[in-house]
Amino acid sequence: MLPDRVSRKLTAFGVAASNGRQVKDLVRLMGHPELWEVGYANLYSNQGALTKGVDNNTLDGFSRDRVLNLIELIKDGRYQPAPVRRTHIPKGNGKFRPLGLPSGDDKLVQEVARLILDAIYEPIFSDRSHGFRAGRSCHTALESIKRDWTGIKWFVDVDIKGFFDNIDHDKLIEMLSKRILDKRFLRLIKGMLTAGYIEDWTFHKTYSGTPQGGVCSPILANVYLHELDEFLEVMKSQMDVGKRRPTTPAYNHLAYQMKQLRKSIEADKAQGTFDPTTSLDLSMYRKLERERRTIPSRDPMFAGLKRLQFCRYADDVLIGVIGTKDDARQAMDQVKSFLAKELRLDVSEEKSNISPARQGTLYLGYDVKTIHGNRTIKRYQLEGANHQSQSRARNGKVILSVPKTRVIRFCKTRKYGDWGATRSTHRGYLVNHTDLEIIDAYNAEMRGFANYHQLAYDVKMANMNKLYYIWRGSLLATLAAKHSSSVNKEYTKLKRAEGLSLRFEVKGATRYRKVYALKDLRRRNIYDAQVDNLPNVNKNLHTHEILQRLNAETCEYSYVGT
C-alpha cells in the first residue's frame, strides 16, 4: 500500500499529462522506499522471479538496505543496468523468439519505472489500444470490434515487421520528452534501452528495440505506438463523413404499399369482416413482405457515407473501412507512410492485406467477418398496438469464429491424432504418470483453448466438436495404453451420470476429477474478468503479508517456521 503522498503524486502525473503538461521530479519520487516495496510485491511471485541474469542476481534476498543502495545509485547517476542474458523460446509458427533475462536488481528498477510511466501514460492512452494494459486484453479488443464495427466493408490488416526489435531509441526518448521533464529519469530509460545482451558468452550492443525481456518493455512499446493511435484518430476524423445512407426508392415504394394494406386489414378487423384464410389484402401483404426482404432498406453504395474504425493490440493493428476499396488502399498507404517516416518502422508486405469484410480476416486468433441475411426478428407487441413489431436482422454485423486452421494446428501440435481421418492416438510420454495427472494435463489444454475462443459463436460447434472428439479419444487411448486396457473399458470406468470423471481417494475421502466437456464452457463478461489471463491468486492474497515481513526485516523461511 502506497503512502498518500506517493499516491497523490502519481495521480497528479496522470492529470498533468492529460492536460498536456510535462511532469518532473520522477527520480525524486523513486526515492520513496514504499514504491520499491510495491514493485517487489508485483514481481516476487512471478514465475521468473528467481531466474538468474548474467550476474546471477535474482529478486531473492530483497531488503530495505538493497533498495536504499539502488536509490542512491540512481540519484547519483551511477546506476548502470547489466546486459541481459539472452535465450530463445519457440513461436507458434515453429520459429524462435529471442527472450532476455535481466538481473534481479534491473527487474526491480524497471518495475518502479513502469509504475511511474503507467501513472503518466495510462490516462492518455487511446481507448482503442488494448495490449499490455490493466483491464484490457485480446478479448476486450475483439469484443469492441464485434460491438462497434457494424457495416464495415473492408478490413485493413497492418503487420509491423519486427516491431519490438526495431523501436528507434532516439525516437522513443524524444516521445518521452514530450511529457517528461526529468533528464535523470530519461537517462535511466536510455540506459535500459542500450544495456545490450549476452548470448553464447558474447556481448552484443543494442542499437534499437525495447529492453530484451524487460519489465517496462510493454509500456514503452505502447508509448511508441501511441503516436500511431493519434495519427489514426486524425485519419478517422478526416474520413468520417455523412450521417446515414438514404433509403432506396424500391424499399420505400414497397413499404408504402404494405402500410396501405395494413390499414385495410385493420379496418376489416374493426368491422369484424376479416378472415385470414380468404383475405386478399393479407395474401398481398405477405407477398410484398417477402419481396421487401430481398431489397436493401438503404443504399449500400451511397458514396456520401464513409467511416473508419481501428483497433490495436500491441503491434497488431486492424482497420475497418466503410467505403470503397480505394478508400481502404488509401488508409493502408497512409499508415505505411506514417510508420516509415515518423516511427521508422516497416510493414510486412506478405502479412499485411486488404480483404472484403464478408470474406473476413484473421485477428488475434479469431476469424473476424461480417454477415448478411434476410432473417426477420419478431419483437413483443407494444401496449395499445394491434400487431407485433417486426424488423429484419441487421446486415453487416461482425461475428467471431474459431479458425479451422488454428484448430487443426492445435490438434497436430498436441498430438491428439489424425484430423483428416478423425482418429485419435495415445501420447506415450504420459503413460508413466498417474491417471489424475493425465486427466489434469488434457483438461488444462482443452479448457485453455476453449476459454480463449469463448467469444466465437461456433466455440461449441463444428470444428471444435470434432477437436473435442479427437481430444477425448486421445485421453482415453492414453489411459488404455497405461493400463493395457481398451478405450471402451476406460470409457466405462470413467462414465458417470454427469459425464466422465475419475474417482480417487484423498486421506480416506472419495474425490472426483471431471473430464472437461465443451458443454461446461460458460461465457463470462469480459469486462468483469480477464478471461484470457488466469489471475495470479497467490500474489493477490499475499501482497500485504510480504510487505509486512519486509518491513519487519524477518526472513521468510523463519516466518514460515514460526
Side-chain angles (χ1 to χ4, degrees):
M1 193 73 178
L2 287 173
D4 288 341
R5 65 183 186 279
V6 179
S7 296
R8 287 196 301 268
K9 191 67 174 177
L10 290 174
T11 303
F13 285 164
V15 174
S18 299
N19 294 330
R21 300 197 306 270
Q22 290 179 303
V23 296
K24 56 184 179 180
D25 296 333
L26 304 188
V27 170
R28 180 182 298 178
L29 181 64
M30 293 181 75
H32 291 277
E34 296 86 357
L35 191 63
W36 294 75
E37 291 170 359
V38 172
Y40 176 73
N42 291 341
L43 297 174
Y44 86 99
S45 62
N46 291 348
Q47 188 175 3
L50 298 181
T51 303
K52 296 180 180 180
V54 293
D55 55 0
N56 293 328
N57 180 271
T58 71
L59 288 175
D60 194 19
F62 179 86
S63 66
R64 182 165 285 243
D65 288 341
R66 183 175 177 183
V67 166
L68 294 176
N69 179 60
L70 288 172
I71 291 174
E72 194 66 27
L73 291 173
I74 292 173
K75 283 185 174 180
D76 293 344
R78 294 183 290 116
Y79 171 76
Q80 180 61 45
V84 300
R85 178 168 63 88
R86 174 172 282 195
T87 184
H88 292 82
I89 57 175
K91 296 170 63 175
N93 57 8
K95 298 181 181 179
F96 288 87
R97 176 184 289 111
L99 175 68
L101 304 173
S103 70
D105 285 347
D106 292 342
K107 287 179 184 177
L108 192 55
V109 173
Q110 289 190 33
E111 175 60 16
V112 174
R114 187 200 66 79
L115 290 171
I116 295 174
L117 288 171
D118 190 67
I120 297 170
Y121 283 95
E122 184 59 33
I124 65 175
F125 280 154
S126 170
D127 287 338
R128 304 174 197 273
S129 166
H130 295 263
F132 310 129
R133 296 177 63 189
R136 295 171 181 265
S137 66
C138 294
H139 283 180
T140 59
L142 291 160
E143 186 65 26
S144 69
I145 293 172
K146 180 181 176 182
R147 183 186 64 242
D148 301 331
W149 288 30
T150 299
I152 292 297
K153 300 300 181 184
W154 300 95
F155 287 128
V156 181
D157 195 347
V158 181
D159 186 277
I160 301 175
K161 185 185 296 183
F163 167 65
F164 288 94
D165 293 331
N166 292 311
I167 292 178
D168 187 278
H169 291 170
D170 293 334
K171 187 67 179 179
L172 177 56
I173 296 299
E174 178 186 328
M175 294 175 183
L176 292 170
S177 300
K178 293 179 181 179
R179 293 180 172 87
I180 297 175
L181 197 58
D182 192 325
K183 293 184 178 180
R184 288 189 296 172
F185 186 82
L186 293 175
R187 283 197 297 268
L188 178 65
I189 299 297
K190 182 73 170 183
M192 297 176 186
L193 294 170
T194 58
Y197 65 92
I198 291 180
E199 184 176 11
D200 296 330
W201 303 101
T202 303
F203 173 76
H204 301 268
K205 292 183 178 180
T206 48
Y207 299 98
S208 62
T210 54
Q212 301 291 325
V215 177
C216 64
S217 294
I219 192 167
L220 291 177
N222 273 335
V223 169
Y224 202 80
L225 286 181
H226 179 63
E227 302 279 327
L228 175 61
D229 296 337
E230 292 183 328
F231 174 75
L232 288 170
E233 288 288 357
V234 174
M235 279 182 57
K236 176 176 173 58
S237 65
Q238 293 173 346
M239 183 172 178
D240 288 359
V241 295
K243 291 186 177 180
R244 63 188 308 180
R245 296 184 178 92
T247 55
T248 59
Y251 188 90
N252 284 337
H253 180 65
L254 290 175
Y256 176 77
Q257 290 180 297
M258 291 172 64
K259 180 180 179 181
Q260 298 302 114
L261 289 171
R262 192 161 55 244
K263 287 182 179 179
S264 177
I265 292 171
E266 295 297 338
D268 290 343
K269 286 182 178 180
Q271 297 175 5
T273 60
F274 177 74
D275 184 355
T277 60
T278 59
S279 173
L280 294 178
D281 287 343
L282 180 61
S283 176
M284 178 60 68
Y285 183 89
R286 289 172 174 170
K287 178 181 177 181
L288 293 177
E289 185 179 37
R290 289 192 297 269
E291 183 179 353
R292 189 177 67 169
R293 290 180 196 168
T294 65
I295 299 175
S297 62
R298 298 186 179 275
D299 183 4
M301 305 305 293
F302 179 60
L305 178 77
K306 293 183 180 182
R307 293 287 186 274
L308 184 142
Q309 300 279 11
F310 72 92
C311 180
R312 181 177 67 81
Y313 183 90
D315 59 330
D316 293 325
V317 183
L318 184 64
I319 300 172
V321 174
I322 297 179
T324 64
K325 190 171 184 178
D326 286 339
D327 294 324
R329 288 196 186 102
Q330 182 181 357
M332 173 71 88
D333 292 340
Q334 286 179 323
V335 172
K336 283 183 179 178
S337 176
F338 177 82
L339 289 172
K341 294 180 180 178
E342 301 298 328
L343 302 185
R344 301 165 192 173
L345 295 170
D346 295 324
V347 171
S348 174
E349 297 293 342
E350 61 272 15
K351 294 182 180 179
S352 300
N353 60 79
I354 299 173
S355 54
R358 289 196 185 196
Q359 173 186 318
T361 188
L362 184 66
Y363 187 64
L364 299 180
Y366 279 75
D367 272 332
V368 183
K369 64 181 178 180
T370 58
I371 57 170
H372 298 261
N374 298 319
R375 184 168 57 90
T376 299
I377 299 175
K378 292 186 177 181
R379 308 187 187 279
Y380 291 109
Q381 182 173 338
L382 300 177
E383 185 177 354
N386 295 322
H387 62 280
Q388 220 176 24
S389 174
Q390 296 184 358
S391 65
R392 186 162 52 184
R394 184 182 297 178
N395 280 334
K397 188 172 179 61
V398 173
I399 63 168
L400 307 174
S401 59
V402 186
K404 182 178 180 180
T405 54
R406 189 178 179 93
V407 177
I408 295 175
R409 186 177 67 188
F410 182 77
C411 180
K412 181 179 179 180
T413 55
R414 299 293 177 175
K415 297 181 171 56
Y416 293 144
D418 188 330
W419 176 268
T422 318
R423 183 174 60 247
S424 303
T425 57
H426 77 281
R427 295 200 283 186
Y429 64 90
L430 289 176
V431 296
N432 292 326
H433 294 266
T434 66
D435 289 3
L436 181 61
E437 290 172 338
I438 293 172
I439 291 176
D440 281 347
Y442 272 89
N443 278 355
E445 293 170 356
M446 190 63 188
R447 183 186 292 112
F449 190 78
N451 279 345
Y452 182 78
H453 292 95
Q454 66 171 271
L455 297 181
Y457 79 93
D458 58 349
V459 68
K460 298 183 181 182
M461 300 160 56
N463 294 316
M464 285 294 289
N465 265 333
K466 182 176 179 179
L467 172 66
Y468 176 76
Y469 176 81
I470 298 174
W471 168 86
R472 190 183 68 174
S474 177
L475 167 60
L476 295 172
T478 302
L479 293 173
K482 173 180 175 60
H483 298 292
S484 300
S485 178
S486 68
V487 169
N488 287 337
K489 288 182 179 179
E490 294 301 320
Y491 178 84
T492 302
K493 184 169 66 175
L494 297 176
K495 187 177 181 181
R496 306 280 186 271
E498 69 281 0
L500 301 183
S501 60
L502 174 70
R503 177 180 176 177
F504 60 99
E505 303 288 330
V506 176
K507 296 182 179 180
T510 301
R511 303 287 181 85
Y512 292 90
R513 182 58 49 85
K514 184 174 174 57
V515 175
Y516 181 77
L518 274 179
K519 66 180 182 180
D520 298 329
L521 178 64
R522 295 290 180 266
R523 300 172 188 265
R524 290 171 285 177
N525 187 336
I526 61 170
Y527 297 101
D528 291 339
Q530 293 299 291
V531 291
D532 56 346
N533 290 299
L534 295 178
N536 190 335
V537 179
N538 181 63
K539 181 176 71 174
N540 295 337
L541 287 177
H542 301 295
T543 296
H544 184 66
E545 178 184 298
I546 188 66
L547 293 180
Q548 283 184 322
R549 299 205 300 271
L550 289 173
N551 288 326
E553 297 185 356
T554 302
C555 174
E556 295 188 39
Y557 292 104
S558 62
Y559 184 92
V560 173
T562 57

Coordinates of all heavy atoms in Angstrom, one line a residue, residues 213-254:
G213 N 13.2 -8.6 -22.8 CA 12.6 -9.3 -21.7 C 12.3 -8.4 -20.6 O 12.0 -8.8 -19.4
G214 N 12.5 -7.1 -20.8 CA 12.4 -6.1 -19.7 C 10.9 -5.9 -19.2 O 10.0 -6.1 -19.9
V215 N 10.8 -5.6 -17.9 CA 9.5 -5.4 -17.3 C 8.8 -4.2 -17.8 O 7.6 -4.2 -18.0 CB 9.7 -5.3 -15.7 CG1 8.4 -5.0 -15.1 CG2 10.4 -6.5 -15.1
C216 N 9.6 -3.2 -18.2 CA 8.9 -2.0 -18.7 C 8.8 -2.0 -20.2 O 8.4 -1.0 -20.8 CB 9.6 -0.7 -18.2 SG 11.3 -0.6 -18.8
S217 N 9.2 -3.0 -20.9 CA 9.2 -3.1 -22.3 C 7.7 -2.9 -22.9 O 7.5 -2.1 -23.8 CB 9.7 -4.4 -22.9 OG 11.1 -4.5 -22.6
P218 N 6.7 -3.5 -22.3 CA 5.4 -3.4 -22.8 C 4.9 -1.9 -22.8 O 4.3 -1.4 -23.8 CB 4.5 -4.2 -21.9 CG 5.4 -5.3 -21.4 CD 6.7 -4.6 -21.2
I219 N 5.1 -1.2 -21.7 CA 4.6 0.2 -21.7 C 5.4 1.1 -22.6 O 4.9 2.0 -23.2 CB 4.5 0.7 -20.2 CG1 3.7 2.0 -20.2 CG2 5.9 1.0 -19.7 CD1 3.4 2.5 -18.8
L220 N 6.7 0.8 -22.7 CA 7.5 1.6 -23.7 C 7.0 1.4 -25.1 O 7.0 2.3 -25.9 CB 9.0 1.3 -23.5 CG 9.7 1.7 -22.2 CD1 11.1 1.2 -22.2 CD2 9.6 3.2 -22.1
A221 N 6.6 0.1 -25.4 CA 6.1 -0.2 -26.7 C 4.8 0.6 -27.0 O 4.5 1.1 -28.0 CB 5.9 -1.7 -26.9
N222 N 3.9 0.6 -25.9 CA 2.7 1.4 -26.1 C 2.9 2.9 -26.2 O 2.2 3.6 -26.9 CB 1.8 1.1 -24.8 CG 0.9 -0.1 -25.0 OD1 0.6 -0.5 -26.1 ND2 0.5 -0.7 -23.9
V223 N 3.9 3.4 -25.5 CA 4.3 4.8 -25.7 C 4.7 5.1 -27.1 O 4.3 6.1 -27.7 CB 5.4 5.2 -24.7 CG1 6.0 6.6 -25.1 CG2 4.9 5.2 -23.3
Y224 N 5.4 4.2 -27.7 CA 5.9 4.4 -29.1 C 4.8 4.3 -30.1 O 4.7 5.2 -31.0 CB 6.9 3.3 -29.4 CG 7.9 3.6 -30.5 CD1 9.0 4.4 -30.3 CD2 7.7 3.1 -31.8 CE1 9.9 4.7 -31.4 CE2 8.5 3.4 -32.8 CZ 9.6 4.2 -32.6 OH 10.5 4.5 -33.7
L225 N 3.8 3.4 -29.9 CA 2.7 3.3 -30.8 C 1.6 4.2 -30.5 O 0.6 4.2 -31.2 CB 2.3 1.8 -30.9 CG 3.2 0.9 -31.7 CD1 2.7 -0.6 -31.7 CD2 3.5 1.4 -33.1
H226 N 1.6 4.9 -29.4 CA 0.6 5.9 -29.1 C 0.6 6.9 -30.2 O -0.5 7.5 -30.5 CB 0.8 6.5 -27.7 CG -0.2 7.5 -27.4 ND1 -1.5 7.3 -27.2 CD2 0.0 8.9 -27.1 CE1 -2.2 8.4 -26.9 NE2 -1.3 9.4 -26.8
E227 N 1.7 7.2 -30.8 CA 1.8 8.2 -31.9 C 1.0 7.6 -33.1 O 0.3 8.4 -33.7 CB 3.2 8.4 -32.3 CG 4.2 8.9 -31.2 CD 4.0 10.4 -31.0 OE1 3.8 11.1 -32.0 OE2 4.2 10.8 -29.9
L228 N 1.0 6.3 -33.3 CA 0.2 5.7 -34.4 C -1.3 5.9 -34.0 O -2.1 6.1 -34.9 CB 0.6 4.3 -34.6 CG -0.3 3.5 -35.6 CD1 -0.1 4.1 -37.0 CD2 0.2 2.0 -35.6
D229 N -1.7 5.6 -32.8 CA -3.1 5.8 -32.4 C -3.6 7.2 -32.6 O -4.7 7.4 -33.2 CB -3.2 5.5 -30.9 CG -2.9 4.0 -30.5 OD1 -3.0 3.2 -31.5 OD2 -2.6 3.7 -29.4
E230 N -2.8 8.2 -32.3 CA -3.2 9.6 -32.5 C -3.3 9.9 -34.0 O -4.2 10.6 -34.4 CB -2.2 10.5 -31.9 CG -2.2 10.5 -30.3 CD -1.2 11.5 -29.7 OE1 -0.2 11.7 -30.3 OE2 -1.5 12.0 -28.6
F231 N -2.4 9.3 -34.8 CA -2.5 9.5 -36.3 C -3.7 8.9 -36.8 O -4.4 9.5 -37.7 CB -1.2 8.9 -36.9 CG -1.3 8.9 -38.4 CD1 -1.1 10.1 -39.1 CD2 -1.5 7.8 -39.1 CE1 -1.1 10.1 -40.5 CE2 -1.6 7.8 -40.5 CZ -1.4 9.0 -41.2
L232 N -4.1 7.7 -36.3 CA -5.3 7.0 -36.8 C -6.5 7.8 -36.4 O -7.6 7.8 -37.1 CB -5.3 5.6 -36.3 CG -4.3 4.6 -36.9 CD1 -4.3 3.3 -36.2 CD2 -4.7 4.4 -38.4
E233 N -6.5 8.4 -35.2 CA -7.7 9.2 -34.8 C -7.9 10.4 -35.7 O -9.0 10.7 -36.1 CB -7.5 9.7 -33.4 CG -7.6 8.7 -32.3 CD -9.0 8.2 -32.0 OE1 -9.9 8.7 -32.7 OE2 -9.2 7.3 -31.2
V234 N -6.8 11.0 -36.2 CA -6.9 12.1 -37.2 C -7.4 11.6 -38.5 O -8.3 12.2 -39.1 CB -5.5 12.7 -37.3 CG1 -5.5 13.8 -38.5 CG2 -5.0 13.4 -36.1
M235 N -6.9 10.4 -38.9 CA -7.4 9.8 -40.1 C -8.9 9.5 -40.0 O -9.7 9.8 -41.0 CB -6.7 8.5 -40.4 CG -5.4 8.6 -41.1 SD -4.6 6.9 -41.4 CE -5.9 6.2 -42.4
K236 N -9.3 9.0 -38.9 CA -10.8 8.7 -38.7 C -11.6 10.0 -38.8 O -12.7 10.0 -39.4 CB -11.0 8.1 -37.3 CG -12.4 7.8 -36.9 CD -12.5 7.0 -35.6 CE -14.0 6.9 -35.2 NZ -14.8 6.3 -36.2
S237 N -11.2 11.1 -38.1 CA -11.9 12.3 -38.1 C -12.0 12.9 -39.5 O -13.0 13.5 -39.9 CB -11.3 13.4 -37.2 OG -10.0 13.7 -37.6
Q238 N -11.0 12.7 -40.4 CA -11.0 13.2 -41.7 C -11.9 12.4 -42.7 O -12.5 12.9 -43.6 CB -9.6 13.3 -42.3 CG -8.7 14.3 -41.6 CD -7.2 14.2 -42.0 OE1 -6.8 13.3 -42.7 NE2 -6.5 15.3 -41.7
M239 N -11.9 11.1 -42.4 CA -12.7 10.2 -43.3 C -14.1 10.1 -43.0 O -15.0 9.8 -43.8 CB -12.0 8.8 -43.3 CG -12.7 7.8 -44.2 SD -11.8 6.2 -44.4 CE -12.9 5.4 -45.5
D240 N -14.5 10.2 -41.7 CA -15.9 10.0 -41.3 C -16.7 11.2 -41.8 O -16.6 12.3 -41.3 CB -16.0 10.0 -39.7 CG -15.4 8.7 -39.1 OD1 -15.0 7.8 -39.9 OD2 -15.5 8.5 -37.9
V241 N -17.5 10.9 -42.8 CA -18.4 11.9 -43.4 C -19.8 11.2 -43.6 O -20.0 10.0 -43.7 CB -17.9 12.3 -44.8 CG1 -16.6 13.1 -44.7 CG2 -17.8 11.1 -45.8
G242 N -20.8 12.1 -43.5 CA -22.2 11.6 -43.7 C -22.8 11.1 -42.4 O -22.1 10.6 -41.5
K243 N -24.1 11.2 -42.3 CA -24.8 10.7 -41.1 C -25.4 9.3 -41.3 O -25.3 8.4 -40.5 CB -25.9 11.6 -40.7 CG -25.4 13.0 -40.2 CD -26.5 13.9 -39.6 CE -25.9 15.2 -39.0 NZ -27.0 16.0 -38.5
R244 N -26.1 9.1 -42.4 CA -26.7 7.8 -42.7 C -27.0 7.6 -44.2 O -27.1 8.6 -44.9 CB -27.9 7.5 -41.8 CG -29.1 8.5 -42.1 CD -30.2 8.3 -41.1 NE -30.6 6.9 -41.1 CZ -31.6 6.5 -40.3 NH1 -32.3 7.4 -39.5 NH2 -32.0 5.3 -40.2
R245 N -27.1 6.4 -44.6 CA -27.5 6.2 -46.0 C -28.9 6.5 -46.3 O -29.8 6.2 -45.4 CB -27.2 4.7 -46.4 CG -25.7 4.3 -46.3 CD -25.5 2.9 -46.8 NE -24.1 2.5 -46.8 CZ -23.5 1.9 -45.7 NH1 -24.2 1.6 -44.6 NH2 -22.3 1.5 -45.8
P246 N -29.3 7.0 -47.4 CA -30.7 7.2 -47.7 C -31.4 5.9 -48.0 O -30.8 4.9 -48.5 CB -30.6 8.1 -49.0 CG -29.3 7.7 -49.6 CD -28.4 7.4 -48.5
T247 N -32.7 5.8 -47.8 CA -33.5 4.6 -48.1 C -33.6 4.5 -49.6 O -33.7 5.5 -50.3 CB -34.8 4.7 -47.5 OG1 -35.5 5.9 -47.8 CG2 -34.7 4.6 -45.9
T248 N -33.7 3.3 -50.1 CA -33.9 3.1 -51.5 C -35.3 3.3 -52.0 O -36.2 3.0 -51.2 CB -33.4 1.7 -51.9 OG1 -34.3 0.7 -51.2 CG2 -32.0 1.4 -51.5
P249 N -35.5 3.9 -53.2 CA -36.9 4.1 -53.7 C -37.7 2.8 -53.7 O -38.9 2.9 -53.4 CB -36.6 4.7 -55.1 CG -35.3 5.3 -55.0 CD -34.5 4.4 -54.1
A250 N -37.1 1.7 -54.1 CA -37.8 0.5 -54.2 C -38.3 0.0 -52.9 O -39.5 -0.4 -52.7 CB -37.0 -0.6 -54.9
Y251 N -37.5 0.2 -51.9 CA -37.9 -0.2 -50.5 C -39.0 0.7 -50.0 O -40.0 0.2 -49.4 CB -36.7 -0.1 -49.6 CG -36.9 -0.7 -48.2 CD1 -36.7 -2.0 -47.9 CD2 -37.4 0.1 -47.2 CE1 -36.9 -2.5 -46.6 CE2 -37.6 -0.3 -45.9 CZ -37.4 -1.7 -45.6 OH -37.6 -2.2 -44.4
N252 N -38.9 2.0 -50.2 CA -39.9 3.0 -49.8 C -41.3 2.7 -50.5 O -42.3 2.8 -49.9 CB -39.5 4.4 -50.1 CG -38.4 4.9 -49.2 OD1 -38.3 4.4 -48.1 ND2 -37.7 5.9 -49.6
H253 N -41.2 2.3 -51.8 CA -42.4 2.0 -52.5 C -43.1 0.8 -51.9 O -44.4 0.8 -51.7 CB -42.1 1.8 -54.0 CG -43.3 1.4 -54.8 ND1 -44.3 2.4 -55.0 CD2 -43.7 0.3 -55.5 CE1 -45.2 1.8 -55.8 NE2 -44.9 0.5 -56.1
L254 N -42.4 -0.3 -51.6 CA -43.0 -1.5 -51.0 C -43.5 -1.2 -49.6 O -44.6 -1.7 -49.2 CB -42.0 -2.6 -51.0 CG -41.6 -3.2 -52.4 CD1 -40.5 -4.2 -52.2 CD2 -42.8 -3.9 -53.0

